[in-house]
Amino acid sequence: AETQKEISRIFEVTQFRAKDLGKATGEARAKLRSCVAASGRSAARVQSLEMTISEVEDGLSRLQHVRYARWAEQAVCERRLEILERRPLQDSASKDDLLEAASAEWQVLAEARQVLLDKEFELQHILEELDEARKGMLAETATRRSACRVDQAAFRSSVAAAPAAGTA
């Protein structure tokens, strides 16, 4: 009778520990799932930032090409002004009109080129900010992954230790 009571008590304690272990295992699994999901979201943000950086770099490249094209147009305009200024004063009225038009064209091209240059510097600043954000997100993702690895190792060791504790 005494042995039967002892067996019943051990059985009840074992069932209680098994329920506790099952609950703890479920909580640990939920924590791991949450950790892995957070790492995945963080990695997705890094990828999104990298795509944005690529798009901004493409836009910057196109902007530079347009600015270079304006430089060529401005050089042509400057050459026209040089030629017009060296012309003889035979047709003074038409020369003044041509010079005025060429000067106005040069001014418009110079202003457009300066606006493009300003936008180029703005895009470069944006690229620098995006790159800093990407570096921060990479560090955060690495930290999250490291935390997941630590949690996984702890979970594995607790699961491996649980059967050993149950047999003692």
Side-chain angles (χ1 to χ4, degrees), residues 2-66:
E2 198 60 38
T3 309
Q4 186 61 32
K5 284 182 182 179
E6 184 67 25
I7 292 172
S8 294
R9 189 186 64 74
I10 292 172
F11 180 71
E12 288 173 7
V13 169
T14 305
Q15 281 185 328
F16 180 73
R17 284 186 181 168
K19 286 180 185 178
D20 257 2
L21 182 61
K23 184 179 177 184
T25 302
E27 289 172 358
R29 285 178 195 259
K31 183 178 177 184
L32 281 174
R33 277 191 223 108
S34 173
C35 185
V36 169
S39 293
R41 287 190 302 271
S42 186
R45 283 188 224 119
V46 169
Q47 189 176 23
S48 175
L49 274 173
E50 288 173 345
M51 287 174 51
T52 302
I53 288 171
S54 176
E55 290 171 2
V56 171
E57 286 173 338
D58 183 52
L60 179 62
S61 176
R62 285 185 275 139
L63 184 64
Q64 287 172 336
H65 288 291
V66 169

Side-chain angles (χ1 to χ4, degrees), residues 40-138:
R41 287 190 302 271
S42 186
R45 283 188 224 119
V46 169
Q47 189 176 23
S48 175
L49 274 173
E50 288 173 345
M51 287 174 51
T52 302
I53 288 171
S54 176
E55 290 171 2
V56 171
E57 286 173 338
D58 183 52
L60 179 62
S61 176
R62 285 185 275 139
L63 184 64
Q64 287 172 336
H65 288 291
V66 169
R67 184 173 56 88
Y68 295 151
R70 295 295 84 83
W71 178 82
E73 292 171 359
Q74 193 174 4
V76 168
C77 189
E78 287 172 358
R79 181 71 179 130
R80 281 189 205 132
L81 283 170
E82 290 172 9
I83 292 171
L84 284 173
E85 288 173 356
R86 283 190 268 150
R87 281 180 57 195
L89 293 175
Q90 296 168 352
D91 193 11
S92 171
S94 69
K95 181 180 177 183
D96 288 342
D97 291 342
L98 287 173
L99 256 173
E100 191 175 306
S103 294
E105 179 185 8
W106 184 88
Q107 186 63 35
V108 167
L109 289 170
E111 289 172 4
R113 193 159 180 265
Q114 186 58 48
V115 167
L116 291 171
L117 190 59
D118 293 344
K119 296 296 180 190
E120 190 177 319
F121 285 126
E122 285 178 32
L123 279 178
Q124 287 172 344
H125 180 70
I126 289 169
L127 267 175
E128 290 168 4
E129 289 177 355
L130 287 171
D131 192 50
E132 287 300 315
R134 184 183 69 79
K135 287 177 184 174
M137 289 300 302
L138 282 172

